[in-house]
Amino acid sequence: MPRAVLAALLAALLATPLAAPAARAQFDAPGLTGTAVVTLGLGAARQRVEGSTVVRPEANTVLLGVARLAYWFRPTWALDLSAAQFGPASDGAITPLLLGAAWYPDPEGRASRVRPFAGASAGLFIRSLRGGAGATLIGTRAPARTDAVPGARLSAGADVFVGRRFTLGVLTGYHAAARFEAAEPRLGGTAARPTGFMAAATVGLVLPRSQ
């Protein structure tokens, strides 16, 4: 009888190290394929202001809200779809709609719940001008309009898996986009160029994994 108990204890001890990696599989790099995470973030971004009413180009800091979807199509690669908004700004809110990819290094040798990443994406920066965003020569309100310019973003950050369904993290990056025309060019108004650094704190929801 003691031999049988001893053999059972020995088998349990040997099985524990083998079972632990399986329990953590969803947080390991190979286990993330097919996983999607939706994150929301709040932070700040820099953008340039230039035009005939500005002596020299200058940068200002604006509030930034960002929504991001990451979908792992490979163990260490994720599709990166994001939308953000700079604002409020005097010459209109700017909304980047970007699509790209993010690389998550293999976490071997590190805590697998902490997942740093680096990525690149490109798309359109859309500006929405409200009516009256600049006076006209005859004193009437300027009409509301929407315009867009191409742009891109290089990003880096980290996601921390908190339990099975939530993440906390940080997203940093550098936006580069073409120059928007002034809201009222006939008056020599200022024009925004959404080029500069950004940073945001994020919270995310891990969606049920596709089969």
Side-chain angles (χ1 to χ4, degrees):
M1 184 69 177
R3 288 183 180 180
V5 173
L6 228 73
L9 288 174
L10 184 59
L13 287 173
L14 291 174
T16 301
L18 299 175
R24 297 192 304 267
Q26 69 167 346
F27 299 109
D28 294 340
L32 284 176
T33 304
T35 299
V37 179
V38 176
T39 59
L40 298 176
L42 187 65
R46 299 282 284 176
Q47 67 178 15
R48 292 168 62 86
V49 176
E50 52 193 34
S52 59
T53 61
V54 179
V55 176
R56 60 181 179 180
E58 56 188 35
N60 56 20
T61 301
V62 295
L63 188 66
L64 170 73
V66 61
R68 178 173 176 259
L69 169 65
Y71 176 78
W72 278 264
F73 60 91
R74 296 289 300 274
T76 57
W77 284 94
L79 184 70
D80 189 351
L81 174 64
S82 67
Q85 186 170 71
F86 304 164
S90 59
D91 54 354
I94 296 175
T95 303
L97 298 178
L98 306 175
L99 176 64
W103 174 61
Y104 287 76
D106 192 322
E108 186 177 356
R110 299 189 298 274
S112 58
R113 290 177 182 267
V114 180
R115 304 305 306 276
F117 65 87
S121 54
L124 291 177
F125 285 64
I126 302 171
R127 181 180 63 172
S128 300
L129 290 171
R130 297 184 297 272
T136 65
L137 291 178
I138 59 175
T140 59
R141 292 169 62 85
R145 76 170 192 266
T146 301
D147 52 358
V149 296
R153 182 185 69 208
L154 297 176
S155 59
D159 292 323
V160 181
F161 285 83
V162 182
R164 294 177 178 271
R165 286 286 175 254
F166 299 99
T167 66
L168 297 174
V170 61
L171 172 65
T172 65
Y174 185 85
H175 286 112
R179 177 180 178 271
F180 283 105
E181 292 300 324
E184 181 46 67
R186 289 177 296 175
L187 294 181
T190 61
R193 186 172 187 176
T195 296
F197 290 98
M198 54 80 65
T202 63
V203 58
L205 174 67
V206 182
L207 301 181
R209 183 176 303 183
S210 59
Q211 300 299 324

mmCIF file of all heavy atoms in Angstrom, residues 13-62:
data_model
loop_
_atom_site.group_PDB
_atom_site.id
_atom_site.type_symbol
_atom_site.label_atom_id
_atom_site.label_comp_id
_atom_site.label_asym_id
_atom_site.label_seq_id
_atom_site.Cartn_x
_atom_site.Cartn_y
_atom_site.Cartn_z
ATOM 1 N N LEU A 13 3.476 14.645 -9.135
ATOM 2 C CA LEU A 13 4.530 15.653 -9.174
ATOM 3 C C LEU A 13 5.112 15.790 -10.577
ATOM 4 O O LEU A 13 5.433 16.888 -11.029
ATOM 5 C CB LEU A 13 5.643 15.288 -8.179
ATOM 6 C CG LEU A 13 5.302 15.484 -6.700
ATOM 7 C CD1 LEU A 13 6.412 14.931 -5.817
ATOM 8 C CD2 LEU A 13 5.088 16.965 -6.394
ATOM 9 N N LEU A 14 5.239 14.670 -11.271
ATOM 10 C CA LEU A 14 5.778 14.718 -12.626
ATOM 11 C C LEU A 14 4.791 15.319 -13.618
ATOM 12 O O LEU A 14 5.179 15.964 -14.593
ATOM 13 C CB LEU A 14 6.161 13.307 -13.098
ATOM 14 C CG LEU A 14 7.376 12.677 -12.394
ATOM 15 C CD1 LEU A 14 7.548 11.240 -12.848
ATOM 16 C CD2 LEU A 14 8.627 13.497 -12.691
ATOM 17 N N ALA A 15 3.502 15.163 -13.347
ATOM 18 C CA ALA A 15 2.482 15.674 -14.269
ATOM 19 C C ALA A 15 2.275 17.165 -14.115
ATOM 20 O O ALA A 15 1.864 17.838 -15.066
ATOM 21 C CB ALA A 15 1.157 14.936 -14.038
ATOM 22 N N THR A 16 2.553 17.741 -12.936
ATOM 23 C CA THR A 16 2.298 19.167 -12.690
ATOM 24 C C THR A 16 3.041 20.083 -13.640
ATOM 25 O O THR A 16 2.460 20.986 -14.222
ATOM 26 C CB THR A 16 2.639 19.524 -11.224
ATOM 27 O OG1 THR A 16 1.830 18.727 -10.365
ATOM 28 C CG2 THR A 16 2.368 20.999 -10.949
ATOM 29 N N PRO A 17 4.371 19.925 -13.850
ATOM 30 C CA PRO A 17 5.059 20.824 -14.783
ATOM 31 C C PRO A 17 4.536 20.710 -16.208
ATOM 32 O O PRO A 17 4.607 21.652 -16.980
ATOM 33 C CB PRO A 17 6.527 20.366 -14.707
ATOM 34 C CG PRO A 17 6.638 19.591 -13.453
ATOM 35 C CD PRO A 17 5.306 18.958 -13.248
ATOM 36 N N LEU A 18 4.036 19.490 -16.570
ATOM 37 C CA LEU A 18 3.534 19.321 -17.928
ATOM 38 C C LEU A 18 2.168 19.959 -18.100
ATOM 39 O O LEU A 18 1.822 20.429 -19.179
ATOM 40 C CB LEU A 18 3.443 17.819 -18.265
ATOM 41 C CG LEU A 18 4.779 17.058 -18.229
ATOM 42 C CD1 LEU A 18 4.539 15.573 -18.459
ATOM 43 C CD2 LEU A 18 5.722 17.614 -19.285
ATOM 44 N N ALA A 19 1.370 20.014 -17.042
ATOM 45 C CA ALA A 19 0.025 20.580 -17.132
ATOM 46 C C ALA A 19 0.040 22.091 -17.077
ATOM 47 O O ALA A 19 -0.833 22.748 -17.638
ATOM 48 C CB ALA A 19 -0.845 20.026 -15.998
ATOM 49 N N ALA A 20 1.055 22.677 -16.395
ATOM 50 C CA ALA A 20 1.096 24.133 -16.235
ATOM 51 C C ALA A 20 1.173 24.875 -17.557
ATOM 52 O O ALA A 20 0.433 25.830 -17.772
ATOM 53 C CB ALA A 20 2.285 24.529 -15.334
ATOM 54 N N PRO A 21 2.043 24.465 -18.505
ATOM 55 C CA PRO A 21 2.065 25.185 -19.786
ATOM 56 C C PRO A 21 0.734 25.125 -20.509
ATOM 57 O O PRO A 21 0.325 26.074 -21.160
ATOM 58 C CB PRO A 21 3.163 24.461 -20.572
ATOM 59 C CG PRO A 21 4.030 23.822 -19.544
ATOM 60 C CD PRO A 21 3.098 23.440 -18.441
ATOM 61 N N ALA A 22 0.011 23.999 -20.411
ATOM 62 C CA ALA A 22 -1.284 23.904 -21.083
ATOM 63 C C ALA A 22 -2.282 24.867 -20.481
ATOM 64 O O ALA A 22 -3.109 25.450 -21.169
ATOM 65 C CB ALA A 22 -1.792 22.465 -20.991
ATOM 66 N N ALA A 23 -2.230 25.065 -19.156
ATOM 67 C CA ALA A 23 -3.151 25.985 -18.500
ATOM 68 C C ALA A 23 -2.890 27.416 -18.917
ATOM 69 O O ALA A 23 -3.786 28.252 -18.903
ATOM 70 C CB ALA A 23 -3.020 25.846 -16.979
ATOM 71 N N ARG A 24 -1.617 27.707 -19.286
ATOM 72 C CA ARG A 24 -1.281 29.066 -19.674
ATOM 73 C C ARG A 24 -1.281 29.245 -21.190
ATOM 74 O O ARG A 24 -0.875 30.283 -21.702
ATOM 75 C CB ARG A 24 0.115 29.429 -19.144
ATOM 76 C CG ARG A 24 0.226 29.434 -17.639
ATOM 77 C CD ARG A 24 1.535 30.098 -17.241
ATOM 78 N NE ARG A 24 2.690 29.471 -17.851
ATOM 79 C CZ ARG A 24 3.405 28.510 -17.285
ATOM 80 N NH1 ARG A 24 3.073 28.036 -16.112
ATOM 81 N NH2 ARG A 24 4.458 28.012 -17.913
ATOM 82 N N ALA A 25 -1.735 28.248 -21.927
ATOM 83 C CA ALA A 25 -1.562 28.254 -23.376
ATOM 84 C C ALA A 25 -2.170 29.463 -24.046
ATOM 85 O O ALA A 25 -1.626 29.974 -25.016
ATOM 86 C CB ALA A 25 -2.159 26.977 -23.976
ATOM 87 N N GLN A 26 -3.322 29.938 -23.545
ATOM 88 C CA GLN A 26 -3.967 31.048 -24.236
ATOM 89 C C GLN A 26 -3.177 32.340 -24.128
ATOM 90 O O GLN A 26 -3.429 33.288 -24.867
ATOM 91 C CB GLN A 26 -5.382 31.260 -23.695
ATOM 92 C CG GLN A 26 -5.405 31.784 -22.276
ATOM 93 C CD GLN A 26 -6.787 32.273 -21.895
ATOM 94 O OE1 GLN A 26 -7.640 32.465 -22.748
ATOM 95 N NE2 GLN A 26 -7.000 32.471 -20.612
ATOM 96 N N PHE A 27 -2.215 32.409 -23.210
ATOM 97 C CA PHE A 27 -1.399 33.606 -23.083
ATOM 98 C C PHE A 27 -0.045 33.461 -23.774
ATOM 99 O O PHE A 27 0.683 34.424 -23.886
ATOM 100 C CB PHE A 27 -1.190 33.947 -21.603
ATOM 101 C CG PHE A 27 -2.467 34.217 -20.871
ATOM 102 C CD1 PHE A 27 -2.952 33.319 -19.934
ATOM 103 C CD2 PHE A 27 -3.212 35.350 -21.131
ATOM 104 C CE1 PHE A 27 -4.135 33.563 -19.273
ATOM 105 C CE2 PHE A 27 -4.400 35.597 -20.474
ATOM 106 C CZ PHE A 27 -4.863 34.692 -19.533
ATOM 107 N N ASP A 28 0.316 32.235 -24.197
ATOM 108 C CA ASP A 28 1.579 32.028 -24.876
ATOM 109 C C ASP A 28 1.449 32.383 -26.351
ATOM 110 O O ASP A 28 0.359 32.366 -26.920
ATOM 111 C CB ASP A 28 2.032 30.571 -24.738
ATOM 112 C CG ASP A 28 2.368 30.229 -23.287
ATOM 113 O OD1 ASP A 28 2.617 31.188 -22.528
ATOM 114 O OD2 ASP A 28 2.352 29.051 -22.932
ATOM 115 N N ALA A 29 2.570 32.700 -26.984
ATOM 116 C CA ALA A 29 2.543 33.122 -28.378
ATOM 117 C C ALA A 29 1.827 32.143 -29.294
ATOM 118 O O ALA A 29 0.992 32.544 -30.081
ATOM 119 C CB ALA A 29 3.978 33.358 -28.866
ATOM 120 N N PRO A 30 2.089 30.810 -29.208
ATOM 121 C CA PRO A 30 1.406 29.912 -30.126
ATOM 122 C C PRO A 30 -0.104 29.901 -29.901
ATOM 123 O O PRO A 30 -0.870 29.638 -30.813
ATOM 124 C CB PRO A 30 2.028 28.544 -29.808
ATOM 125 C CG PRO A 30 3.331 28.857 -29.166
ATOM 126 C CD PRO A 30 3.098 30.124 -28.406
ATOM 127 N N GLY A 31 -0.547 30.196 -28.665
ATOM 128 C CA GLY A 31 -1.962 30.117 -28.354
ATOM 129 C C GLY A 31 -2.760 31.344 -28.724
ATOM 130 O O GLY A 31 -3.978 31.345 -28.586
ATOM 131 N N LEU A 32 -2.123 32.418 -29.200
ATOM 132 C CA LEU A 32 -2.856 33.645 -29.513
ATOM 133 C C LEU A 32 -3.443 33.641 -30.922
ATOM 134 O O LEU A 32 -4.263 34.501 -31.235
ATOM 135 C CB LEU A 32 -1.935 34.864 -29.341
ATOM 136 C CG LEU A 32 -1.674 35.284 -27.904
ATOM 137 C CD1 LEU A 32 -0.676 36.436 -27.866
ATOM 138 C CD2 LEU A 32 -2.964 35.685 -27.209
ATOM 139 N N THR A 33 -3.049 32.717 -31.762
ATOM 140 C CA THR A 33 -3.596 32.676 -33.116
ATOM 141 C C THR A 33 -5.117 32.521 -33.056
ATOM 142 O O THR A 33 -5.638 31.643 -32.381
ATOM 143 C CB THR A 33 -2.994 31.516 -33.916
ATOM 144 O OG1 THR A 33 -1.582 31.645 -33.917
ATOM 145 C CG2 THR A 33 -3.501 31.513 -35.342
ATOM 146 N N GLY A 34 -5.829 33.410 -33.765
ATOM 147 C CA GLY A 34 -7.281 33.385 -33.751
ATOM 148 C C GLY A 34 -7.905 34.234 -32.660
ATOM 149 O O GLY A 34 -9.122 34.344 -32.577
ATOM 150 N N THR A 35 -7.068 34.867 -31.820
ATOM 151 C CA THR A 35 -7.572 35.720 -30.742
ATOM 152 C C THR A 35 -7.736 37.156 -31.235
ATOM 153 O O THR A 35 -6.925 37.655 -32.008
ATOM 154 C CB THR A 35 -6.595 35.704 -29.546
ATOM 155 O OG1 THR A 35 -6.491 34.370 -29.047
ATOM 156 C CG2 THR A 35 -7.069 36.620 -28.427
ATOM 157 N N ALA A 36 -8.784 37.820 -30.782
ATOM 158 C CA ALA A 36 -9.018 39.231 -31.114
ATOM 159 C C ALA A 36 -9.202 40.024 -29.830
ATOM 160 O O ALA A 36 -9.864 39.566 -28.897
ATOM 161 C CB ALA A 36 -10.252 39.378 -32.000
ATOM 162 N N VAL A 37 -8.596 41.202 -29.791
ATOM 163 C CA VAL A 37 -8.695 42.085 -28.626
ATOM 164 C C VAL A 37 -9.134 43.465 -29.092
ATOM 165 O O VAL A 37 -8.521 44.049 -29.997
ATOM 166 C CB VAL A 37 -7.350 42.189 -27.868
ATOM 167 C CG1 VAL A 37 -7.492 43.135 -26.679
ATOM 168 C CG2 VAL A 37 -6.889 40.818 -27.399
ATOM 169 N N VAL A 38 -10.195 43.983 -28.494
ATOM 170 C CA VAL A 38 -10.668 45.335 -28.769
ATOM 171 C C VAL A 38 -10.236 46.232 -27.624
ATOM 172 O O VAL A 38 -10.523 45.918 -26.455
ATOM 173 C CB VAL A 38 -12.203 45.378 -28.920
ATOM 174 C CG1 VAL A 38 -12.683 46.814 -29.118
ATOM 175 C CG2 VAL A 38 -12.647 44.514 -30.089
ATOM 176 N N THR A 39 -9.526 47.322 -27.919
ATOM 177 C CA THR A 39 -9.044 48.225 -26.877
ATOM 178 C C THR A 39 -9.537 49.646 -27.119
ATOM 179 O O THR A 39 -9.715 50.076 -28.262
ATOM 180 C CB THR A 39 -7.502 48.234 -26.803
ATOM 181 O OG1 THR A 39 -6.972 48.631 -28.066
ATOM 182 C CG2 THR A 39 -6.960 46.864 -26.444
ATOM 183 N N LEU A 40 -9.750 50.358 -26.022
ATOM 184 C CA LEU A 40 -10.072 51.781 -26.048
ATOM 185 C C LEU A 40 -9.011 52.509 -25.253
ATOM 186 O O LEU A 40 -8.550 52.008 -24.216
ATOM 187 C CB LEU A 40 -11.452 52.037 -25.427
ATOM 188 C CG LEU A 40 -12.654 51.397 -26.128
ATOM 189 C CD1 LEU A 40 -13.930 51.671 -25.320
ATOM 190 C CD2 LEU A 40 -12.796 51.907 -27.545
ATOM 191 N N GLY A 41 -8.601 53.679 -25.742
ATOM 192 C CA GLY A 41 -7.535 54.410 -25.065
ATOM 193 C C GLY A 41 -7.796 55.901 -25.024
ATOM 194 O O GLY A 41 -8.557 56.446 -25.826
ATOM 195 N N LEU A 42 -7.155 56.548 -24.075
ATOM 196 C CA LEU A 42 -7.258 57.998 -23.913
ATOM 197 C C LEU A 42 -5.870 58.547 -23.642
ATOM 198 O O LEU A 42 -5.127 58.005 -22.824
ATOM 199 C CB LEU A 42 -8.191 58.343 -22.750
ATOM 200 C CG LEU A 42 -8.528 59.824 -22.547
ATOM 201 C CD1 LEU A 42 -9.314 60.358 -23.741
ATOM 202 C CD2 LEU A 42 -9.326 60.020 -21.268
ATOM 203 N N GLY A 43 -5.516 59.624 -24.360
ATOM 204 C CA GLY A 43 -4.192 60.192 -24.179
ATOM 205 C C GLY A 43 -4.074 61.547 -24.844
ATOM 206 O O GLY A 43 -5.025 62.331 -24.856
ATOM 207 N N ALA A 44 -2.909 61.813 -25.414
ATOM 208 C CA ALA A 44 -2.640 63.114 -26.037
ATOM 209 C C ALA A 44 -1.810 62.916 -27.292
ATOM 210 O O ALA A 44 -1.098 61.923 -27.441
ATOM 211 C CB ALA A 44 -1.908 64.029 -25.060
ATOM 212 N N ALA A 45 -1.920 63.875 -28.225
ATOM 213 C CA ALA A 45 -1.162 63.827 -29.477
ATOM 214 C C ALA A 45 -0.674 65.226 -29.811
ATOM 215 O O ALA A 45 -1.262 66.230 -29.392
ATOM 216 C CB ALA A 45 -2.015 63.269 -30.613
ATOM 217 N N ARG A 46 0.387 65.280 -30.586
ATOM 218 C CA ARG A 46 0.938 66.551 -31.066
ATOM 219 C C ARG A 46 0.574 66.731 -32.526
ATOM 220 O O ARG A 46 0.558 65.779 -33.298
ATOM 221 C CB ARG A 46 2.461 66.561 -30.916
ATOM 222 C CG ARG A 46 2.948 66.420 -29.477
ATOM 223 C CD ARG A 46 2.838 67.715 -28.721
ATOM 224 N NE ARG A 46 3.890 68.662 -29.087
ATOM 225 C CZ ARG A 46 3.971 69.896 -28.613
ATOM 226 N NH1 ARG A 46 3.030 70.357 -27.788
ATOM 227 N NH2 ARG A 46 4.961 70.693 -28.970
ATOM 228 N N GLN A 47 0.276 67.967 -32.927
ATOM 229 C CA GLN A 47 0.058 68.265 -34.339
ATOM 230 C C GLN A 47 0.616 69.643 -34.660
ATOM 231 O O GLN A 47 0.683 70.515 -33.793
ATOM 232 C CB GLN A 47 -1.429 68.189 -34.691
ATOM 233 C CG GLN A 47 -2.302 69.247 -34.063
ATOM 234 C CD GLN A 47 -3.752 69.120 -34.521
ATOM 235 O OE1 GLN A 47 -4.167 68.112 -35.079
ATOM 236 N NE2 GLN A 47 -4.534 70.148 -34.279
ATOM 237 N N ARG A 48 1.025 69.810 -35.917
ATOM 238 C CA ARG A 48 1.616 71.063 -36.354
ATOM 239 C C ARG A 48 0.540 72.011 -36.860
ATOM 240 O O ARG A 48 -0.448 71.600 -37.448
ATOM 241 C CB ARG A 48 2.643 70.804 -37.471
ATOM 242 C CG ARG A 48 3.879 70.063 -37.003
ATOM 243 C CD ARG A 48 4.696 69.598 -38.172
ATOM 244 N NE ARG A 48 5.173 70.719 -38.984
ATOM 245 C CZ ARG A 48 6.291 71.399 -38.745
ATOM 246 N NH1 ARG A 48 7.041 71.079 -37.702
ATOM 247 N NH2 ARG A 48 6.677 72.378 -39.543
ATOM 248 N N VAL A 49 0.752 73.288 -36.606
ATOM 249 C CA VAL A 49 -0.136 74.337 -37.106
ATOM 250 C C VAL A 49 0.705 75.265 -37.965
ATOM 251 O O VAL A 49 1.751 75.756 -37.535
ATOM 252 C CB VAL A 49 -0.807 75.116 -35.959
ATOM 253 C CG1 VAL A 49 -1.643 76.257 -36.508
ATOM 254 C CG2 VAL A 49 -1.668 74.197 -35.119
ATOM 255 N N GLU A 50 0.263 75.508 -39.200
ATOM 256 C CA GLU A 50 1.025 76.373 -40.086
ATOM 257 C C GLU A 50 0.068 77.155 -40.983
ATOM 258 O O GLU A 50 -1.097 76.797 -41.140
ATOM 259 C CB GLU A 50 1.999 75.555 -40.930
ATOM 260 C CG GLU A 50 1.357 74.396 -41.654
ATOM 261 C CD GLU A 50 2.384 73.435 -42.224
ATOM 262 O OE1 GLU A 50 3.446 73.244 -41.604
ATOM 263 O OE2 GLU A 50 2.096 72.880 -43.288
ATOM 264 N N GLY A 51 0.538 78.241 -41.541
ATOM 265 C CA GLY A 51 -0.301 79.073 -42.411
ATOM 266 C C GLY A 51 0.216 80.499 -42.434
ATOM 267 O O GLY A 51 1.158 80.868 -41.720
ATOM 268 N N SER A 52 -0.436 81.337 -43.227
ATOM 269 C CA SER A 52 0.050 82.706 -43.384
ATOM 270 C C SER A 52 -0.159 83.542 -42.128
ATOM 271 O O SER A 52 0.473 84.575 -41.965
ATOM 272 C CB SER A 52 -0.667 83.374 -44.564
ATOM 273 O OG SER A 52 -2.063 83.390 -44.353
ATOM 274 N N THR A 53 -1.044 83.103 -41.238
ATOM 275 C CA THR A 53 -1.253 83.857 -39.997
ATOM 276 C C THR A 53 -0.301 83.406 -38.891
ATOM 277 O O THR A 53 -0.341 83.919 -37.795
ATOM 278 C CB THR A 53 -2.706 83.711 -39.514
ATOM 279 O OG1 THR A 53 -2.961 82.324 -39.261
ATOM 280 C CG2 THR A 53 -3.683 84.251 -40.540
ATOM 281 N N VAL A 54 0.527 82.396 -39.183
ATOM 282 C CA VAL A 54 1.495 81.900 -38.214
ATOM 283 C C VAL A 54 2.888 82.264 -38.709
ATOM 284 O O VAL A 54 3.242 81.978 -39.863
ATOM 285 C CB VAL A 54 1.372 80.365 -38.050
ATOM 286 C CG1 VAL A 54 2.398 79.850 -37.051
ATOM 287 C CG2 VAL A 54 -0.036 80.008 -37.617
ATOM 288 N N VAL A 55 3.673 82.918 -37.850
ATOM 289 C CA VAL A 55 5.010 83.367 -38.252
ATOM 290 C C VAL A 55 5.871 82.184 -38.655
ATOM 291 O O VAL A 55 6.558 82.203 -39.666
ATOM 292 C CB VAL A 55 5.666 84.165 -37.094
ATOM 293 C CG1 VAL A 55 7.090 84.550 -37.475
ATOM 294 C CG2 VAL A 55 4.838 85.395 -36.773
ATOM 295 N N ARG A 56 5.845 81.122 -37.880
ATOM 296 C CA ARG A 56 6.572 79.906 -38.221
ATOM 297 C C ARG A 56 5.754 78.711 -37.716
ATOM 298 O O ARG A 56 4.983 78.839 -36.768
ATOM 299 C CB ARG A 56 7.962 79.903 -37.594
ATOM 300 C CG ARG A 56 7.966 79.989 -36.086
ATOM 301 C CD ARG A 56 9.386 80.016 -35.556
ATOM 302 N NE ARG A 56 9.411 80.131 -34.109
ATOM 303 C CZ ARG A 56 10.535 80.173 -33.396
ATOM 304 N NH1 ARG A 56 11.704 80.125 -34.007
ATOM 305 N NH2 ARG A 56 10.480 80.282 -32.086
ATOM 306 N N PRO A 57 5.899 77.553 -38.347
ATOM 307 C CA PRO A 57 5.131 76.381 -37.917
ATOM 308 C C PRO A 57 5.364 76.085 -36.440
ATOM 309 O O PRO A 57 6.484 76.174 -35.942
ATOM 310 C CB PRO A 57 5.678 75.252 -38.812
ATOM 311 C CG PRO A 57 6.209 75.957 -40.010
ATOM 312 C CD PRO A 57 6.752 77.270 -39.509
ATOM 313 N N GLU A 58 4.293 75.748 -35.750
ATOM 314 C CA GLU A 58 4.404 75.416 -34.338
ATOM 315 C C GLU A 58 3.549 74.198 -34.052
ATOM 316 O O GLU A 58 2.684 73.815 -34.851
ATOM 317 C CB GLU A 58 3.958 76.599 -33.474
ATOM 318 C CG GLU A 58 2.552 77.084 -33.775
ATOM 319 C CD GLU A 58 2.221 78.378 -33.045
ATOM 320 O OE1 GLU A 58 3.122 79.220 -32.882
ATOM 321 O OE2 GLU A 58 1.056 78.529 -32.652
ATOM 322 N N ALA A 59 3.817 73.537 -32.927
ATOM 323 C CA ALA A 59 3.090 72.327 -32.559
ATOM 324 C C ALA A 59 2.255 72.592 -31.315
ATOM 325 O O ALA A 59 2.650 73.356 -30.439
ATOM 326 C CB ALA A 59 4.071 71.188 -32.304
ATOM 327 N N ASN A 60 1.083 71.971 -31.277
ATOM 328 C CA ASN A 60 0.278 72.048 -30.075
ATOM 329 C C ASN A 60 -0.153 70.646 -29.664
ATOM 330 O O ASN A 60 -0.094 69.700 -30.442
ATOM 331 C CB ASN A 60 -0.937 72.973 -30.253
ATOM 332 C CG ASN A 60 -1.804 72.544 -31.423
ATOM 333 O OD1 ASN A 60 -1.741 71.409 -31.875
ATOM 334 N ND2 ASN A 60 -2.615 73.461 -31.911
ATOM 335 N N THR A 61 -0.571 70.506 -28.420
ATOM 336 C CA THR A 61 -0.985 69.217 -27.874
ATOM 337 C C THR A 61 -2.500 69.179 -27.777
ATOM 338 O O THR A 61 -3.117 70.107 -27.262
ATOM 339 C CB THR A 61 -0.370 68.997 -26.478
ATOM 340 O OG1 THR A 61 1.062 69.057 -26.584
ATOM 341 C CG2 THR A 61 -0.760 67.636 -25.927
ATOM 342 N N VAL A 62 -3.103 68.105 -28.294
ATOM 343 C CA VAL A 62 -4.555 67.968 -28.281
ATOM 344 C C VAL A 62 -4.931 66.642 -27.641
ATOM 345 O O VAL A 62 -4.128 65.705 -27.574
ATOM 346 C CB VAL A 62 -5.143 68.060 -29.707
ATOM 347 C CG1 VAL A 62 -4.923 69.442 -30.290
ATOM 348 C CG2 VAL A 62 -4.536 66.999 -30.613
#
